Amino acid sequence: MRAILLRRLATAIPTLFAVVLASFFLMRAAPGSPFDAERPLDAATRAALDHAYGLDRPLLEQLGRYLANLAQGDFGPSLVYKDFTVTALIAQGLPISLMLGGLALAVALMTGVSGGIAGALRPGGWSDRAVDFAASLAVALPGFVTGPVLALIFALWLNWLPVAGLNGPASLILPVIALALPVAGAVAKLTRTGLSETLAQDHVRTARARGLSPFAVLWRHALAPALIPVVSYLAPAAAGLLTGAVVIETVFGLPGLGRYFVQGALNRDYPLVMGVVILYAGLILFFNLIADLLYGLLDPRARG
Amino acid sequence: MTIYAVERLSLRIGDAAILHDIGFEVRRGACTALVGASGSGKSMSCFAPFGLAAGKASGSARLDGAELIGLDEPALRPLRARAGFAFQQPATALSPHLTIGRQLREAVVAGGAPSPDRRALAAMLDRVGIARPDARLDSWPHRLSGGERQRVMIAAAVAHDPILLVADEPTSALDAPLRHAILDLIDRLRQDGMAVLLVSHDLPLVALHADQVAVLQAGRVVESGAARQILSRPLTAETRALVAASPSLDTPGPALPPTGAPLLAAQGIDVTVAGRGWRAPQVTLVEDASFTIAEGEALALAGRSGSGKSTLARAVARLGPMTDGELRWRGEIVPGRDRMAAGFRKAVQPVFQDPVASLDPHWTVAASIAEPLRHLCPELDAAARAARVDALLEEVELGRGFADRRPAELSGGQAQRVAIARALAAGPELILLDEATSALDVLVAGRILSLLQRLQADRNLAILMITHDLAVARSLCHRLAVMEAGKIVEQGPFDRMLSTPGHPATRHLLGT
């Protein structure tokens, strides 16, 4: 277990470095500049701005400076949100995105896995077909459809929950559901498929031969091996959920991280985009590490 | 007293009738064995009454007076718990993610007893002869050897002191000494009154341990009675075939074809691999192994599992790593693996243990056999290849009707014949048989063995045979090399090794 951890950490650092390099050069390779606006700036102001942010320096020197600052945990100033550092912007948006994404992840995992189990307990029964239908629907509908429809029903017609904005826990319910639905659907389908495979395996027959109830067979003997594909799917999905679901945050007017990412990219706000990309890459690496540890728990053979 | 009685048991899966009027009984403290070739319905006869096999059973099966047939799943569950089941292939029949201790504990609790403490669990492992039982409780099944897993399977099956133990082929994956040890263990468990229903394809072995034997063929009992009587005076052709199919070391070996000039000489072969984990020391799998094989000569490489015989054979066939040593083919040094000469690849071809797994499931039989021809005999055009494939199918006694089948449509024996045809395609002078018959049942294995004997004589084939079964090896091999812990500890002419075994490892394989 510790060997896997060390090996993963040793590869994570060069991976992260490669992500920083690639996104740095890709951002600079795209045409345009952070100071392009509808009305062009005069040459002197433009030069002064470029000089102030170091954009007139050779590219490699800019990279060197960026890396040196990054090593000290400084993502640099935002070029568009004047007077804000990237660190401050992330510190504002990240907690909201983490809360939204974390809750959505928990909801998706619980409903998805229980749905998959309900389907697998009686293959071909009505619960199996109902779960399969609901899961297909949840996967197929995009967030910009489910979000407004949920807001329409529960906020405008029934008046139970707020339409948008961030005011107390109630305002998170609809966005969490909208964000969790497609993930829950995918988890339910993966759990159901994984279970139908493991339920046909020899060790499940051994468990049944002991006279265990169908639920005990499923819960203790079949579920862990069946969840391996779910873990493979959830690791990258979790990183995406936590770093800001752009569409859902926009639909429900939540000031999360997704907004900064989109606007930063459109405005050529190099440090802001770099900051969000590094955060996203770091989270992906982190969740893949978690997934590797979970593989070891679900199937001890993976530990080597 | 009869513990378990089966009468007129029939089983249908869909429209197909699988079992017809099966009948047998198991008495307290006694052992009844169901024997037959694969597909004869012996496992089905054991599991169908307990609802552990597909299909619909009819007839009667009474466990301690309680009728099993016709019960629904919830009613069957407590009756299942009164029996214990040891399944074939413990590698897959134990849950991979639960420790041995947890699975044992579950078996006890499911049988209705209170949760046992750690010492009681360790005692169960000790009872089936597992060394360091306390440490093994925290181990997962994949950390154990095949024999240990089989013992754990039996320990879990009898953990709750069932009145009946149903053991499905508990020994088929094991070498000869382990086979006897497992059956002795089952005999010991019977002394406390447990009844045993044993399933096997190895009639001579089973007859030593069982009281009653029922021989099955195509879903029917063709002969049943006292074990010794059936073995000594078999009445039906099926039973005689089963008795004759298991080669024995007691009868003299067959006359083998003559041998010629030295073909392959391996000198001082070492295989080491990197250890697991950071800065772990290197692991030596094979150390300083030397042997030669002459034209038309068959050498058996025997040893218990983990002794390095497969690693050594793969190294000399240039299919696996080789760290050090020298390999000569007709006196000339064979180049390293990266600069593999096509000539050597053409001359040495392998056949592996699991025939179905060693064929690509998506390829037709003809495509699999033609593949070595495409790569190693580029001078042949498509028509010549097709003709060669047909000839090879005839040679392995399958016929060209099999050309368009896929592996899923083949039985184990047919698949192994295809694998042999593929190995022969490029006209090799040496074939490597890696446990090529041990995954097959005894009748099929016997037929594959006679095919190999014929090919050996017809083609003047040299053979390197990896095996744990000396009786099988003797029907093909001139010489025997015994390996233990990565070293060849003894080698020589087969009959001399049998009559005067020098090394303990050889005596162990002989079961003496």
Side-chain angles (χ1 to χ4, degrees):
Chain A
M1 207 54 135
R2 225 181 57 213
I4 295 182
L5 211 69
L6 284 174
R7 211 161 44 224
R8 288 289 158 175
L9 285 178
T11 54
I13 291 162
T15 311
L16 209 52
F17 186 68
V19 168
V20 172
L21 281 189
S23 47
F24 184 90
F25 286 114
L26 278 173
M27 279 299 288
R28 299 305 199 273
S33 132
F35 310 120
D36 287 338
E38 304 229 341
R39 196 167 56 86
L41 299 170
D42 64 277
T45 323
R46 172 88 191 234
L49 272 171
D50 278 352
H51 184 72
Y53 287 108
L55 296 178
D56 54 346
R57 302 282 173 157
L59 211 52
L60 283 179
E61 193 185 326
Q62 289 186 40
L63 176 68
R65 272 197 200 182
Y66 184 77
L67 289 176
N69 287 337
L70 192 63
Q72 299 163 34
D74 179 6
F75 287 101
S78 166
L79 302 184
V80 174
Y81 298 90
K82 302 280 173 355
D83 304 329
F84 283 99
T85 62
V86 171
T87 315
L89 288 173
I90 289 179
Q92 252 177 38
L94 187 61
I96 297 165
S97 288
L98 279 184
M99 171 97 82
L100 180 66
L103 286 172
L105 195 61
V107 169
L109 202 57
M110 277 189 298
T111 52
V113 171
S114 4
I117 292 179
L121 268 178
R122 284 181 161 268
W126 66 266
S127 62
D128 190 16
R129 274 175 286 168
V131 166
D132 189 56
F133 177 73
S136 301
L137 205 64
V139 174
L141 287 175
F144 58 80
V145 175
T146 46
V149 168
L150 285 174
L152 191 68
I153 298 174
F154 293 98
L156 292 177
W157 293 351
L158 298 171
N159 215 7
W160 289 352
L161 296 164
V163 181
L166 186 60
N167 286 306
S171 58
L172 276 175
I173 293 179
L174 288 181
V176 163
I177 292 176
L179 193 55
L181 268 176
V183 183
V187 169
K189 276 178 171 288
L190 287 170
T191 308
R192 170 74 183 83
T193 317
L195 274 176
S196 64
E197 269 168 33
T198 37
L199 282 175
Q201 282 171 5
D202 283 357
H203 69 264
V204 168
R205 185 179 58 175
T206 309
R208 287 182 56 222
R210 286 186 190 140
L212 300 179
S213 72
F215 186 76
V217 169
L218 199 144
W219 183 253
R220 236 174 299 161
H221 291 270
L223 193 59
L227 284 183
I228 289 173
V230 176
V231 170
S232 306
Y233 161 77
L234 270 187
L241 284 181
L242 292 177
T243 43
V246 181
V247 174
I248 297 296
E249 284 180 7
T250 313
V251 168
F252 290 97
L254 297 173
L257 208 57
R259 198 176 52 167
Y260 292 127
F261 191 40
V262 176
Q263 287 175 3
L266 293 176
N267 292 333
R268 303 285 182 283
D269 192 344
Y270 302 141
L272 181 56
V273 171
M274 293 285 295
V276 179
V277 165
I278 291 169
L279 184 72
Y280 186 73
L283 276 172
I284 291 228
L285 290 172
F286 173 73
F287 279 108
N288 277 324
L289 180 67
I290 301 275
D292 281 334
L293 297 182
L294 281 175
Y295 289 146
L297 277 184
L298 296 177
D299 186 354
R301 285 171 294 189
R303 281 180 222 178
Chain B
M1 190 180 87
T2 302
I3 295 286
Y4 183 52
V6 170
E7 288 169 44
R8 302 182 326 279
L9 173 70
S10 296
L11 179 75
R12 304 185 71 83
I13 300 180
D15 289 334
I18 307 294
L19 302 175
H20 315 266
D21 291 330
I22 301 282
F24 57 86
E25 61 173 35
V26 194
R27 283 193 295 275
R28 192 181 135 79
C31 173
T32 296
L34 302 184
V35 183
S38 58
S40 60
K42 49 196 194 304
S43 297
M44 287 292 200
S45 306
C46 289
F47 297 131
F50 290 92
L52 294 171
K56 186 159 169 38
S58 58
S60 162
R62 287 189 311 280
L63 178 66
D64 201 18
E67 179 62 54
L68 298 171
I69 306 290
L71 294 184
D72 60 359
E73 178 74 18
L76 270 176
R77 251 182 270 142
L79 288 166
R80 268 182 215 153
R82 298 199 65 194
F85 296 86
F87 293 98
Q88 203 175 358
Q89 296 188 350
T92 55
L94 293 166
S95 289
H97 60 289
L98 300 178
T99 59
I100 304 299
R102 269 195 75 179
Q103 301 196 45
L104 276 179
R105 182 188 306 274
E106 183 188 72
V108 177
V109 175
S115 184
D117 62 8
R118 208 179 153 83
R119 197 186 308 170
L121 292 175
M124 289 173 197
L125 289 185
D126 191 45
R127 175 156 84 144
V128 295
I130 289 204
R132 298 186 295 114
D134 190 69
R136 296 306 173 86
L137 287 177
D138 300 320
S139 203
W140 287 281
H142 73 280
R143 293 283 172 86
L144 306 182
S145 73
E148 285 172 327
R149 278 196 286 253
Q150 190 66 63
R151 284 162 196 262
V152 168
M153 189 82 229
I154 293 173
V158 301
H160 56 296
D161 290 324
I163 55 176
L164 173 72
L165 168 67
V166 181
D168 184 12
E169 302 270 12
T171 61
S172 60
L174 307 175
D175 58 24
L178 268 178
R179 259 181 240 171
H180 285 288
I182 294 285
L183 288 174
D184 287 342
L185 163 68
I186 292 177
D187 286 348
R188 264 205 320 283
L189 294 169
R190 284 199 286 143
Q191 286 164 8
D192 303 330
M194 188 168 64
V196 174
L197 178 58
L198 185 66
V199 174
S200 178
H201 62 246
D202 192 341
L203 180 53
L205 179 75
V206 157
L208 292 177
H209 296 267
D211 308 292
Q212 298 283 314
V213 170
V215 179
L216 271 72
Q217 196 212 6
R220 286 174 210 278
V221 175
V222 292
E223 190 169 354
S224 64
R228 277 163 207 288
Q229 185 191 343
I230 285 199
L231 187 63
S232 54
R233 286 195 306 279
L235 296 177
T236 61
E238 288 75 26
T239 316
R240 276 195 292 277
L242 281 172
V243 174
S246 313
S248 156
L249 285 173
D250 302 331
T251 51
L256 296 169
T259 62
L263 197 60
L264 179 75
Q267 186 65 44
I269 306 290
D270 283 350
V271 180
T272 54
V273 294
R276 282 200 182 132
W278 196 43
R279 297 178 66 178
Q282 290 210 320
V283 181
T284 302
L285 299 178
V286 174
E287 194 179 345
D288 195 24
S290 304
F291 62 84
T292 58
I293 298 179
E295 285 173 350
E297 185 184 41
L299 171 68
L301 205 51
R304 60 181 94 187
S305 54
S307 59
K309 50 193 194 299
S310 282
T311 312
L312 171 59
R314 280 168 201 216
V316 301
R318 289 280 195 241
L319 293 168
M322 180 171 120
T323 318
D324 201 8
E326 193 184 81
L327 207 54
R328 285 175 183 270
W329 181 258
R330 294 191 189 282
E332 282 180 43
I333 291 193
V334 178
R337 196 144 57 109
D338 347 348
R339 287 166 281 124
M340 171 58 71
F344 184 71
R345 186 44 77 236
K346 204 169 155 176
V348 180
Q349 283 283 312
V351 178
F352 297 107
Q353 176 171 17
D354 185 339
V356 177
S358 71
L359 296 171
D360 189 317
H362 304 291
W363 285 23
T364 62
V365 162
S368 281
I369 298 177
E371 195 189 22
L373 293 173
R374 279 202 305 277
H375 292 281
L376 299 172
C377 310
E379 70 280 2
L380 296 178
D381 60 11
R385 274 205 303 271
R388 188 81 82 88
V389 168
D390 282 346
L392 285 161
L393 280 171
E394 296 288 347
E395 194 174 356
V396 296
E397 296 155 12
L398 282 178
R400 42 191 81 177
F402 281 81
D404 294 324
R405 294 208 200 175
R406 284 172 215 281
E409 300 164 280
L410 302 174
S411 71
Q414 289 165 346
Q416 195 61 299
R417 283 171 196 264
V418 172
I420 291 172
R422 178 176 58 180
L424 294 176
E429 289 172 89
L430 170 68
I431 57 172
L432 162 66
L433 302 175
D434 191 347
E435 301 275 14
T437 61
S438 59
L440 306 170
D441 89 54
V442 89
L443 290 176
V444 179
R447 285 185 218 119
I448 294 285
L449 214 52
S450 18
L451 169 69
L452 289 168
Q453 281 171 330
R454 209 197 70 219
L455 293 171
Q456 180 186 30
D458 290 357
R459 285 184 170 244
N460 194 27
L461 263 184
I463 294 174
L464 176 57
M465 182 182 203
I466 300 163
T467 184
H468 60 250
D469 190 333
L470 293 187
V472 168
R474 212 231 330 215
S475 53
L476 215 52
C477 295
H478 302 79
R479 286 192 305 125
L480 169 65
V482 175
M483 285 191 80
E484 189 175 66
K487 292 185 185 143
I488 294 183
V489 292
E490 190 179 4
Q491 57 179 316
F494 216 110
D495 289 322
R496 205 271 295 148
M497 296 273 286
L498 286 184
S499 53
T500 52
H503 195 274
T506 313
R507 288 198 288 272
H508 173 82
L509 282 175
L510 287 169
T512 51

